[in-house]
Amino acid sequence: MVRKVVRGFYAVAYAVKLCRPAVICAYPITPQTEIVENLATMYANGELGNCQYITAESEFGAASILVGASATGARTFTATCSQGLILMSEVLWNAAGMRLPIVMVIANRSLSAPLSIWNDHQDSMAMRDACIIQVYVENNQEAHDMIPQAYKIAENKDVMLPFMVCMDGYKLTHAYEPVDLLEQETVDSFLPPYDPPIKLTTKDPLTFGCYAPPHCYMEFRVVMQRAMMRAKKVMEEVFKEWAELTGRNWGGLIATDYMDNAETAVVAMGSVVGLVREVVEEMRKDGKKVGLVKIRSFRPFPTEELRKVMKDVENIVVFERAVSFGYEGPVSIDLKSALFGHSNAKVYSFAVGLGGRDIPRDLIRKCINNAIEGKVDEGFHFEGVKEFEEVII
Amino acid sequence: MKFFFSSGHGACPGCSLPIAVKNVLYALEGKCFVVNPTGCLEIISSQYDRSAWGVPYIHSVFENAAAVAAGIDAALKALGRKDEGHVVVFAGDGATADIGIGCLSGMFDRNHDVLYICLDNEAYQNTGNQQSGLTPPGSNTTTTPAGKILPGKIGRKKDMVAFALAHKIPYVATASVAYPNDIRRKVKRAVEFEGAKYIQILCPCVTGWGINSNETIKVARLAVETALYPIVEYENGELVRVRKIKERKPVEEYLKIQRRFRHLFKHPKGREIIEELQRIADENAKRFGLDE
C-alpha cells in the first residue's frame, strides 16, 4: 500500500484502472472531466491492458455505448454529473431494466437553470427512482475504496444493477487528500473477472431489451425491486469483506458516531459529513447529547438501520443538498417515511450549500442548536440564504 | 435448418421489413449481433417470450442503436471475441435520420466496425405514419396531413447518403427490397471493409403508404425505375456502381398507386409537388447517370 497525496479524480481513476474494466466511455463535463482525462492518459500510455477507451459524442451516447458493451459481457465504467447525468437518464433507466451492472462515478453538481458548475446533490437525486444503487462518499479514500466494492456489489448475481458512486464535485474531486492507494494484487484478490450469467454471444443467441405487454411487464418491475432489496445484504457483506481486507471500515448502509444515548441525531450524506462530525464532536464536549448518522447508501434506502438507530432520539436534524420542489428535502422525505410509526422524533430539514454555496461550520452548529432549543419549526428550511426581495413581474 | 429470423412474428401482411432483414442475415450466415432501436421491426419481433431472433439481439431505446452497436464492437475487441460475428444495426428512418442522428454521427466519426442498415419506410410507421426526415415531399402523413391549404409534407427527403459520405466511412450504399440479390451482394461487400458501413434499404409500408399488400415489391421497384430512389454504391468515398434504368418511368406511375400521394392529383398545389418530385427524379438520373 502506498500513501500518496492525490486529488480525488486521480484516486478514482487509479481505482478504476485496478478493477480492469474492458470498456470505458465518457463525455467531458466539469467537474468530472479530470477523472476520464486521467483514464485517457493511462490508456494512451498502455496502462489499461485490453481496455477500449471511447470518447463519446455525448453523455447520452456514452451511456448507450456502455449498454452495448455491458450486455456483451464487458466490465464498464463511466463518470458524469449534472446535465450529463440528466442527459443519460433515459439510457440509465434502460440499463437498470436490462440489469446491466454499469459502474459510474457522479461528481455531484447542481442542475441548470441557472447554470452552475458547483456542488450539490440535485443531479443524482433526480435519478433516485431509476433502480440504480447510489452510495455517497465522504472523502477521497472512501471514493477510492468504493470503486472495487461497487463492481463487486453491482455484478453480484443476486443484484445485477447499475451503481453510482456519488462524490461531491470540486469539494472531493479536486481536493488534495492523502490516500492509501490500493495494490493490484489486493484488488485482484477481492474482485473476480466479470463473468455474467447471460450475455450477447453468437454461441447462445439471446434477445435483450424485449418489449413487454401488460400481461408480463409488471413481473420485470417486481424482480428489479427484489434485486434492490437483496442488494442491502450483499452490500453489508461486501463492506465487511472490504474492512477485513484493507482494515478500513466505512460502516454499513449507514455509519454512526456518538449515537449512544443521543437525544438528537444529525443526518448527512457526502463530503459535508466530515464537517458535521466535527461540530457534533464539539457539541458532545459541551455536554450536548448529539450524534451523527451518515447515510452511505441512499438507494437501496437503509430503512431498518435508520429505525434502529433513531429509536430513542427526540430530534432529527437533516442536512439536505437537494430539494424535491413542491415538497421538501429528499433525504427527509424518505427518512420520515422510514420512521413513520416507529418514532415520534421531531424532524428538522435544512437545505444547505445548493449550487456550491459555502457551508460554514457556524451554520451547521446554529441549525443543530436551533432545532435542539426549539427556535425553529419542524419541517423544511433553506439555510445560508441572503436577504433578498423576490420580484414577481 | 437454423433460423435467423423466424416466421410467426407480428409484421403486417405484405410488410417489406422481414424481406430486408432475412436477406441481410442470410448474407451474413447469421454470424452477427443485431442492434435494433424502437420501431416497427422491434415491435413485430421482440415481444417477451416470443422473440423471432435466432441471432443475439438487443433493443435499448429509440435513439441510441448506433451507440449500442459501438459498445458491442468495443466489447468484442476488448474481450478478444471479434471473430464471433459482425455488428449490425437495423434501424428505421426516423431512428436513423431524426432522433438517432447524433449517435449515428458519433459512431461514423469513430469509425466503429459496424454495419448500419437503415430500413427506410419513409415515416414513423410503427405508430401510424407520422412524417420523418426521410418522408418525401408531398406525402400525406398524420403529422403533415394534406389539408385545404397544405399539400402534405413540405420540404425534401434528407440526404443520408451524403451525411454518411461526409463522415468518410469506407462503404455507403442504397438498395431496395425489390432487388434482394443486390441486398445480399452489398451486405457481403460491406463487411469486407473494416469500419463503419451504411446501407439504406427502401422498404415500402403497406399501411402507411396505402398500397395493396401484394404490391410491396412492385412499388419498391417503381421507386427505383422512376429514379426517385437511386440505387448507388460508394467505396471509400468513390461512386463505384449504380443501378441503371432501362426506360425511366414518370413519377406519376409511382405516386398514383399510393394513398399517401393520391391527394396530389386533385389538390390545388398537387401539380406543383408532382413537378418537384419529377425534378428530383431528373436530378438523380443526371447526377448518378441512371439512364441507360
Side-chain angles (χ1 to χ4, degrees):
Chain A
M1 197 141 57
V2 188
R3 179 165 296 183
K4 269 187 166 176
V5 175
V6 296
R7 300 179 86 174
F9 45 71
Y10 181 81
V12 164
Y14 192 77
V16 169
K17 174 189 135 169
L18 298 181
C19 293
R20 304 183 188 277
V23 178
I24 298 170
C25 186
Y27 185 83
I29 180 168
T30 301
Q32 168 283 119
T33 305
E34 286 86 349
I35 295 173
V36 294
E37 281 177 348
N38 272 275
L39 287 165
T41 304
M42 293 171 190
Y43 182 64
N45 290 326
E47 294 166 16
L48 297 181
N50 293 328
C51 177
Q52 293 281 310
Y53 178 97
I54 301 169
T55 55
E57 70 285 349
S58 70
E59 289 90 351
F60 180 87
S64 302
I65 285 166
L66 294 190
V67 163
S70 184
T72 311
R75 178 170 287 158
T76 57
F77 178 79
T78 190
T80 189
C81 63
S82 187
Q83 310 305 122
L85 180 60
I86 300 304
L87 185 57
M88 277 186 183
S89 69
E90 186 195 9
V91 183
L92 294 181
W93 277 82
N94 187 258
M98 264 196 268
R99 310 292 296 278
L100 301 175
I102 296 165
V103 169
M104 62 194 112
V105 167
I106 309 304
N108 281 111
R109 170 184 147 181
S110 52
L111 288 178
S112 179
L115 180 77
S116 161
I117 59 168
W118 293 277
N119 164 249
D120 62 34
H121 291 172
Q122 199 70 55
D123 51 359
S124 49
M125 281 298 156
M127 296 304 296
R128 181 188 68 180
D129 298 337
C131 202
I132 300 172
I133 295 172
Q134 289 194 8
V135 168
Y136 290 75
V137 300
E138 176 182 346
N139 57 40
N140 289 337
Q141 183 73 63
E142 192 181 6
H144 182 69
D145 284 4
M146 266 320 296
I147 304 296
Q149 296 180 78
Y151 281 110
K152 188 146 185 172
I153 296 159
E155 294 170 1
N156 186 295
K157 289 182 177 57
D158 283 339
V159 180
M160 294 300 284
L161 290 172
F163 199 118
M164 289 178 14
V165 177
C166 302
M167 68 187 295
D168 286 326
Y170 285 123
K171 288 168 190 276
L172 292 182
T173 54
H174 287 59
Y176 286 94
E177 286 181 351
V179 175
D180 287 338
L181 295 173
L182 293 157
E183 303 280 354
Q184 185 67 65
E185 303 81 68
T186 312
V187 176
D188 285 346
S189 72
F190 172 78
L191 181 66
Y194 180 44
D195 181 24
I198 56 164
K199 63 185 176 217
L200 291 172
T201 169
T202 50
K203 287 170 186 155
D204 181 18
L206 292 171
T207 292
F208 276 60
C210 65
Y211 94 90
H215 73 269
C216 49
Y217 181 86
M218 232 175 131
E219 287 73 14
F220 283 93
R221 302 325 249 188
V222 171
V223 296
M224 285 163 73
Q225 170 73 353
R226 284 183 188 162
M228 257 296 184
M229 299 316 251
R230 283 196 300 265
K232 291 186 184 188
K233 185 164 167 276
V234 174
M235 289 165 88
E236 294 284 0
E237 286 166 3
V238 170
F239 292 161
K240 198 161 162 253
E241 188 190 343
W242 188 260
E244 283 161 9
L245 179 73
T246 64
R248 289 190 293 275
N249 187 350
W250 297 103
L253 302 183
I254 64 170
T256 59
D257 284 297
Y258 306 103
M259 279 304 289
D260 292 339
N261 77 12
E263 290 168 3
T264 299
V266 186
V267 181
M269 296 200 305
S271 64
V272 78
V273 167
L275 176 61
V276 173
R277 185 183 289 108
E278 285 183 22
V279 172
V280 166
E281 277 169 4
E282 288 164 15
M283 294 179 81
R284 273 281 175 176
K285 280 179 195 152
D286 295 341
K288 291 184 178 161
K289 289 184 177 170
V290 184
L292 167 73
V293 177
K294 164 185 171 181
I295 295 182
R296 299 184 65 218
S297 172
F298 186 66
R299 283 292 180 275
F301 195 70
T303 309
E304 296 80 13
E305 290 79 358
L306 289 169
R307 280 179 191 161
K308 200 172 155 197
V309 76
M310 301 288 192
K311 196 161 52 75
D312 299 320
V313 303
E314 291 162 21
N315 302 303
I316 299 171
V317 176
V318 184
F319 287 103
E320 301 277 6
R321 307 297 319 284
V323 186
S324 176
F325 291 97
Y327 195 15
E328 57 171 303
V331 178
S332 310
I333 293 169
D334 287 358
L335 177 73
K336 285 185 195 174
S337 166
L339 296 184
F340 183 77
H342 295 263
S343 162
N344 293 319
K346 293 176 176 170
V347 180
Y348 303 84
S349 173
F350 300 106
V352 294
L354 302 186
R357 176 73 52 93
D358 190 31
I359 308 171
R361 182 178 301 247
D362 289 347
L363 182 74
I364 297 290
R365 192 184 293 110
K366 187 190 90 182
C367 289
I368 301 171
N369 275 328
N370 282 350
I372 293 172
E373 291 161 18
K375 286 185 186 164
V376 284
D377 294 334
E378 286 178 66
F380 185 56
H381 309 270
F382 288 95
E383 289 295 337
V385 180
K386 291 175 295 189
E387 294 259 338
F388 73 104
E389 191 184 342
E390 182 187 0
V391 180
I392 298 171
I393 46 173
Chain B
M1 197 187 100
K2 199 169 181 283
F3 75 89
F4 304 133
F5 188 80
S6 160
S7 57
H9 54 71
C12 306
C15 177
S16 61
L17 298 180
I19 300 170
V21 169
K22 283 180 180 176
N23 277 287
V24 172
L25 296 179
Y26 179 80
L28 297 174
E29 295 169 352
K31 232 184 130 195
C32 60
F33 296 79
V34 167
V35 184
N36 183 203
T38 314
C40 284
L41 179 63
E42 175 255 332
I43 287 297
I44 66 170
S45 67
S46 75
Q47 181 174 328
Y48 176 66
D49 221 16
R50 292 182 181 194
S51 175
W53 296 91
V55 294
Y57 168 98
I58 183 168
H59 156 252
S60 176
V61 296
F62 198 178
E63 65 274 42
N64 71 355
V68 173
I72 295 173
D73 173 54
L76 293 176
K77 278 181 187 145
L79 301 171
R81 288 169 46 199
K82 276 289 287 174
D83 59 340
E84 265 195 44
H86 302 285
V87 183
V88 181
V89 176
F90 288 114
D93 47 288
T96 300
D98 292 344
I99 196 165
I101 201 164
C103 285
L104 181 61
S105 176
M107 190 276 278
F108 280 171
D109 181 41
R110 294 184 302 268
N111 203 24
H112 288 277
D113 196 17
V114 169
L115 171 58
Y116 190 103
I117 292 178
C118 172
L119 302 170
D120 181 11
N121 58 19
E122 301 197 317
Y124 296 92
Q125 303 296 9
N126 177 46
T127 45
N129 194 31
Q130 293 81 30
Q131 87 93 31
S132 81
L134 293 195
T135 301
S139 185
N140 181 7
T141 75
T142 60
T143 50
T144 58
K148 284 181 185 146
I149 298 166
L150 294 174
K153 170 163 171 167
I154 307 292
R156 289 181 69 153
K157 183 181 172 83
K158 200 184 281 190
D159 187 350
M160 288 303 291
V161 169
F163 175 86
L165 289 169
H167 287 80
K168 314 281 184 205
I169 60 173
Y171 186 89
V172 179
T174 57
S176 161
V177 288
Y179 309 105
N181 290 338
D182 184 54
I183 293 176
R184 292 202 295 272
R185 185 189 65 75
K186 280 175 173 155
V187 167
K188 283 181 183 160
R189 180 65 182 146
V191 295
E192 287 174 18
F193 292 87
E194 164 98 26
K197 285 82 67 171
Y198 180 75
I199 303 178
Q200 183 173 305
I201 305 177
L202 181 69
C203 295
C205 172
V206 169
T207 56
W209 293 18
I211 56 176
N212 292 329
S213 58
N214 61 356
E215 287 185 336
T216 304
I217 299 302
K218 180 183 165 187
V219 172
R221 192 180 297 126
L222 271 173
V224 176
E225 289 173 344
T226 53
L228 273 173
Y229 215 91
I231 304 298
V232 298
E233 189 173 11
Y234 291 85
E235 294 180 1
N236 296 316
E238 296 295 320
L239 183 65
V240 294
R241 200 177 281 105
V242 299
R243 175 171 280 273
K244 293 276 188 183
I245 303 166
K246 277 208 178 89
E247 280 175 55
R248 189 146 59 89
K249 292 179 173 145
V251 295
E252 279 98 329
E253 273 195 45
Y254 174 65
L255 304 178
K256 71 188 178 192
I257 57 170
Q258 301 180 53
R259 191 184 57 232
R260 63 175 176 158
F261 292 122
R262 205 163 288 157
H263 63 285
L264 296 177
F265 295 93
K266 50 187 190 230
H267 196 280
K269 288 182 184 152
R271 181 46 45 193
E272 207 181 298
I273 297 279
I274 292 170
E275 282 167 10
E276 185 194 338
L277 285 164
Q278 188 59 60
R279 210 161 39 241
I280 290 168
D282 293 345
E283 278 171 22
N284 286 339
K286 192 175 161 203
R287 181 176 162 204
F288 298 112
L290 300 177
D291 292 321
E292 210 163 54

